[in-house]
Amino acid sequence: MDMPSVSSHNTPPAPPLPEILDSLVELTAQRERRTLEISLLTTLRELMPDCTIALYNCRWIDGHPWWRIQLDNLDELPQQNQPWTLPGGKMLRILLQQEAHQLIYPTDTGLCVPLYQANQVIAVLMVTPSADSVVNNQLLIALARIHENFLNLLHASDSDTLTGLNNRRKFDAQLFSLVGVTAGRSQRIPFLALLDIDHFKQVNDNYGHIIGDEVLLMLAQRMQQFFGEDDGLYRYGGEEFAILFHSASEEKAQAILEGFCTRIASQPFPQVGQITVSIGFTRLGNCLVPAQVIERADKALYYSKTHGRNQVNQFEALQQLGMVSEAEVVSGDIDLF
């Protein structure tokens, strides 16, 4: 059977300029990666109706690229719980940049366009044309590059420059989106945890701020290794970090966070030795505003810090025991969100 034409020869005429401009306006209006990805796929589907289009996200573990489908031509919603797999053959060589560098690569079924961040592939567009269609390569590459540029801008605006975790701006936005809309959406419970490095001032005083920064960076890396891909990890400020995650129960959430505490305490940090962390967490409730959620987690963290450190406490459990009082938030605090 003849393969569909994917050559730039005999390129079909581009869609009318107003249609392209409208698509670009919609694409560049997005400020979150998920909505940006949906907008890109929607735009490509409108401009290339005879093609099947899929977007794969890539992650790197110990120098090896893993990928999974994020969006496809049949469903504009992100694919849930798709497994990460190690690509093989030519695709693996493309991700490792072992093939001669190209903006667009032919595959057995069509075309692929890698998207880069810091000279590393972070996503791949896969385009499969129908049997009698021809892909407009120039238009495809242009839209892919625009998407890539915006991904890099979003990464720069959302990331902490030292640790690479999400920053406080991103935390505020994602917490706001979670609070108040969690009822009935999932059997998994959303939680916020605040984490603080114990005696971090002594690290800076005894070893200097350069070593202190290395401790922050290594802790962030261990957070990324321990928690799931879909968990939100943030540098909240200074030596304090935040985690937005889901768990099947409060007991399992406690166990997860205690496991992380144990992991950190048992793995020495170069030049510094043992580091421990204290954690306070709370569940996200439908009747709470973001400032109340943060206040609850912060009270639980303060309890951990003042009752021995290197431990995990949940606000609701402490509240039942009478160890902490209900968080009080004035209207001025709420207005910050």
Side-chain angles (χ1 to χ4, degrees):
M1 184 177 71
D2 293 336
M3 290 292 295
S5 174
V6 295
S7 167
S8 59
H9 300 298
N10 301 318
T11 299
L17 183 58
E19 184 178 344
I20 296 177
L21 292 178
D22 288 343
S23 297
L24 290 178
V25 169
E26 176 65 26
L27 181 63
T28 56
Q30 310 308 321
R31 291 297 179 267
E32 295 290 336
R33 177 166 180 169
R34 182 168 297 183
T35 54
L36 180 63
E37 291 169 339
I38 293 173
S39 181
L40 172 68
L41 220 70
T42 301
T43 297
L44 288 172
R45 288 172 60 180
E46 291 173 350
L47 299 180
M48 302 177 181
D50 295 328
C51 297
T52 299
I53 301 166
L55 178 69
Y56 287 74
N57 280 346
C58 299
R59 63 184 300 194
W60 292 77
I61 302 176
D62 297 328
H64 298 288
W66 296 74
W67 73 342
R68 69 177 180 186
I69 191 167
Q70 178 74 356
L71 297 168
D72 62 33
N73 199 61
L74 303 177
D75 187 357
E76 291 185 2
L77 295 177
Q79 303 293 310
Q80 298 296 324
N81 301 318
Q82 294 295 315
W84 291 96
T85 59
L86 185 66
K90 182 175 183 179
M91 185 53 61
L92 179 60
R93 295 195 300 273
I94 290 173
L95 296 182
L96 292 172
Q97 301 185 49
Q98 295 173 347
E99 293 276 325
H101 180 72
Q102 302 177 51
L103 297 177
I104 189 167
Y105 295 85
T107 68
D108 292 339
T109 58
L111 297 166
C112 82
V113 184
L115 307 177
Y116 297 87
Q117 189 175 91
N119 200 36
Q120 198 170 63
V121 179
I122 57 169
V124 177
L125 268 174
M126 303 292 292
V127 179
T128 305
S130 60
D132 56 351
S133 64
V134 178
V135 175
N136 188 319
N137 289 9
Q138 192 173 20
L139 181 61
L140 174 62
I141 292 172
L143 290 172
R145 294 284 80 80
I146 291 171
H147 180 72
E148 179 184 83
N149 289 342
F150 266 77
L151 281 181
N152 281 280
L153 287 173
L154 288 177
H155 177 76
S157 66
D158 291 342
S159 299
D160 175 62
T161 55
L162 173 63
T163 64
L165 299 182
N166 293 313
N167 58 21
R168 178 64 184 270
R169 189 204 73 83
K170 183 70 171 179
F171 168 78
D172 289 344
Q174 294 196 331
L175 177 62
F176 186 85
S177 70
L178 284 175
V179 169
V181 294
T182 57
R185 294 184 62 183
S186 171
Q187 294 181 344
R188 288 165 57 81
I189 305 168
F191 292 94
L192 165 65
L194 294 180
L195 176 157
D196 190 89
I197 301 176
D198 296 326
H199 303 297
F200 185 70
K201 184 177 184 300
Q202 294 180 12
V203 173
N204 282 331
D205 291 344
N206 295 335
Y207 300 96
H209 288 276
I210 293 178
I211 299 300
D213 285 350
E214 290 184 1
V215 169
L216 294 173
L217 178 58
M218 183 165 290
L219 177 65
Q221 292 172 343
R222 292 180 181 179
M223 289 175 66
Q224 291 172 314
Q225 294 167 358
F226 183 89
F227 291 96
E229 175 72 16
D230 296 325
D231 296 329
L233 305 178
Y234 313 84
R235 186 181 180 194
Y236 190 71
E239 69 272 22
E240 195 168 359
F241 297 80
I243 307 163
L244 285 170
F245 68 107
H246 290 74
S247 183
S249 68
E250 295 178 345
E251 293 76 16
K252 289 187 176 181
Q254 177 88 23
I256 290 169
L257 296 172
E258 287 181 347
F260 182 68
C261 265
T262 301
R263 174 78 61 87
I264 294 302
S266 63
Q267 296 180 343
F269 285 67
Q271 302 189 55
V272 177
Q274 185 189 46
I275 292 290
T276 62
V277 297
S278 297
I279 300 177
F281 75 104
T282 185
R283 62 186 298 169
L284 276 64
N286 295 324
C287 298
L288 300 176
V289 297
Q292 289 175 304
V293 176
I294 294 172
E295 182 72 10
R296 286 183 167 202
D298 193 56
K299 286 192 173 186
L301 171 60
Y302 181 78
Y303 187 92
S304 296
K305 297 286 285 186
T306 56
H307 288 77
R309 296 184 172 87
N310 189 27
Q311 60 183 271
V312 179
N313 283 285
Q314 183 189 7
F315 175 84
E316 288 79 7
L318 293 173
Q319 187 182 39
Q320 288 182 354
L321 296 173
M323 301 298 185
V324 296
S325 60
E326 178 61 75
E328 295 181 0
V329 181
V330 298
S331 60
D333 294 329
I334 297 174
D335 291 342
L336 292 177
F337 295 86

